[in-house]
Amino acid sequence: MIMIESLVGPGWRHESALQHLAPVTADICAADTLIVAPALIGLVLVTRIDGLLTGGRIVEVEAYTQEDPASHSFSGQTQRNRSMFGPPGTVYVYLSYGMHLCFNLATEGEGRGCAVLIRALEPLYALETMRLRRGTNVDRNLASGPGKLTRALGISKELDGSLITASDEIALFSAPESSQVEVRTSPRIGITKAAEKPWRFSVAGSRWVSVP
DNA sequence: TGATAGATCGGCT
DNA sequence: GCCGATCTATCAG
């Protein structure tokens, strides 16, 4: 088994709940965005905010590239979207509709404004913490949407710009069963530009996605 | 400098 | 199913 501390930020090795998981390297984000997006399905995203470990399995993502009119990076780099242009694995957190934070991982290479939006998780760790943060006991609503997911995991804009493979607050792992799922493509949610592109990837039949 | 649309969610009807 | 909340970036004037 590969030593966890060599590939993710220090400190995660003390989390006994994660010992059956394998670390993921930043390489997974260094490929074409349309390759990376489905590859992230099934991986386990965890945060440790305020000492509380929370996390779940990624069941829904969307791809955004620099040439894509629906992408924040389409018109070039700005103060808000600069993390999209960072090295692969850079965390991009932005405020949506003035109320909700959305979590993305930068893809391809430094200088390329591409990212994958993480839209939904199957809750796995510390459900009670997530219920408290979300203010609901309906587990299906804990992380079934980009804004819900960031709230459940305690993700804030402070994480924006950090590298997911070198953080003590957020990390990505692969579970033994990660590759067992059937990935389905569909049009992205809530956009008007390039709405026809089938760049939404989700676990077929999952009850944890935002829009079944 | 003002208007508006937006990668949303929750509450209300 | 509709609507309000409320921050950003962009575009029109």
Side-chain angles (χ1 to χ4, degrees):
Chain A
M1 168 85 117
I2 307 166
M3 298 301 283
I4 287 176
E5 63 266 37
S6 65
L7 294 171
V8 301
W12 293 103
R13 64 184 180 278
H14 299 302
E15 298 291 352
S16 54
L18 306 179
Q19 290 308 306
H20 70 293
L21 302 175
V24 170
T25 69
D27 296 356
I28 196 168
C29 294
D32 187 284
T33 307
L34 292 177
I35 302 294
V36 175
L40 295 180
I41 297 285
L43 298 186
V44 174
L45 178 68
V46 300
T47 62
R48 192 176 44 217
I49 311 289
D50 302 326
L52 299 168
L53 180 82
T54 53
R57 188 187 321 282
I58 297 172
V59 295
E60 180 182 347
V61 302
E62 285 179 1
Y64 289 87
T65 72
Q66 198 168 347
E67 295 73 29
D68 167 21
S71 172
H72 287 171
S73 58
F74 182 65
S75 307
Q77 188 173 339
T78 64
Q79 187 78 335
R80 179 211 208 187
N81 69 16
R82 73 187 185 301
S83 295
M84 283 187 85
F85 294 80
T90 298
V91 172
Y92 172 41
V93 177
Y94 70 90
L95 190 62
S96 174
Y97 290 96
M99 315 199 60
H100 306 288
L101 294 171
C102 293
F103 173 80
N104 304 249
L105 288 174
T107 57
E108 303 200 7
E110 188 162 10
R112 286 277 294 148
C114 305
V116 174
L117 168 69
I118 313 299
R119 286 187 56 91
L121 300 180
E122 171 189 344
L124 291 180
Y125 305 116
L127 288 254
E128 200 50 45
T129 299
M130 293 196 262
R131 291 182 191 117
L132 280 170
R133 285 178 177 158
R134 290 276 301 111
T136 179
N137 286 318
V138 182
D139 290 352
R140 226 176 100 84
N141 289 338
L142 288 182
S144 56
K148 301 177 192 176
L149 174 162
T150 54
R151 187 172 272 278
L153 295 193
I155 290 171
S156 71
K157 279 179 95 168
E158 285 177 33
L159 286 181
D160 182 59
S162 57
L163 205 56
I164 195 165
T165 45
S167 171
D168 285 341
E169 298 182 300
I170 188 160
L172 206 51
F173 295 87
S174 71
E177 62 274 27
S178 285
S179 56
Q180 305 283 346
V181 297
E182 182 189 345
V183 178
R184 164 191 178 81
T185 63
S186 55
R188 294 172 291 182
I189 308 289
I191 59 168
T192 54
K193 290 172 247 178
E196 76 292 346
K197 290 184 193 293
W199 286 5
R200 173 178 180 244
F201 302 85
S202 57
V203 175
S206 172
R207 60 188 293 256
W208 305 105
V209 300
S210 62
V211 183

